[in-house]
């Protein structure tokens, strides 16, 4: 049986609760929901990349990518992405940012779900991903 291992990229501080940034078991890597926090030193409170949806979405995608990389995966391995927004009015803008971010990806795009949720004050977007490695 394959062992389950936690994945924590450099520059990511411990999560605020008992969970991992990512978990890999065999060829499956699940990236936990990431938000638009900038990397912070251990013991330092993380800060959002900025107040705008654009700043936070780009940093959130970078944080997801950091977990993918630390787990031995890339965007090409991602099968499913879930986007969580705090405001329905952000959907079109987030799609523009998302499409531009993945414009150069040569693999077929991942499946995606977008839902609307409550997040801690000041956070506008959260994204998680599931990758299957060859």
């Amino acid at each position: 049986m394959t062992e389950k291992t936690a994945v924590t990229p450099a520059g990511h501080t411990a999560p605020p609760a008992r969970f991992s940034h990512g978990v890999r078991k065999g060829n499956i890597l699940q990236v936990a929901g990431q938000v638009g926090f900038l990397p912070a030193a251990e013991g330092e409170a993380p800060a959002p990349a900025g107040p705008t949806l654009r700043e936070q979405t780009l940093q959130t995608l970078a944080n997801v990518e950091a977990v993918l990389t630390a787990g031995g995966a890339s965007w090409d391995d991602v099968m499913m992405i879930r986007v969580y927004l705090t405001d329905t009015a952000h959907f079109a803008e987030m799609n523009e940012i998302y499409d531009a971010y993945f414009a150069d990806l040569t693999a077929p795009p991942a499946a995606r779900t977008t839902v609307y949720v409550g997040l801690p004050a000041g956070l506008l977007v959260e994204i998680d991903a599931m990758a299957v490695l060859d």
Side-chain angles (χ1 to χ4, degrees):
M1 176 132 330
T2 306
E3 189 174 318
K4 181 171 78 170
T5 57
V7 176
T8 302
H12 278 57
T13 58
R18 189 165 165 73
F19 66 89
S20 301
H21 289 285
V23 176
R24 181 165 176 183
K25 184 168 183 175
N27 68 337
I28 305 291
L29 172 62
Q30 177 64 55
V31 178
Q34 301 294 305
V35 294
F37 284 143
L38 295 164
E42 197 62 46
E44 213 178 87
T52 69
L53 180 66
R54 178 174 190 72
E55 291 166 312
Q56 289 190 26
T57 300
L58 290 172
Q59 185 62 50
T60 299
L61 289 165
N63 291 342
V64 171
E65 186 169 11
V67 179
L68 289 169
T69 300
S74 72
W75 288 115
D76 287 338
D77 300 308
V78 173
M79 301 295 293
M80 181 68 186
I81 296 174
R82 284 169 294 270
V83 177
Y84 307 91
L85 295 172
T86 59
D87 189 336
T88 58
H90 291 157
F91 186 75
E93 182 183 358
M94 188 281 302
N95 269 337
E96 288 178 22
I97 298 162
Y98 184 96
D99 286 349
Y101 189 87
F102 291 110
D104 295 331
L105 190 66
T106 57
R112 192 184 98 189
T113 298
T114 303
V115 296
Y116 303 97
V117 299
L119 291 173
L123 294 176
L124 305 174
V125 61
E126 181 173 347
I127 298 174
D128 70 44
M130 192 268 303
V132 178
L133 292 79
D134 294 329

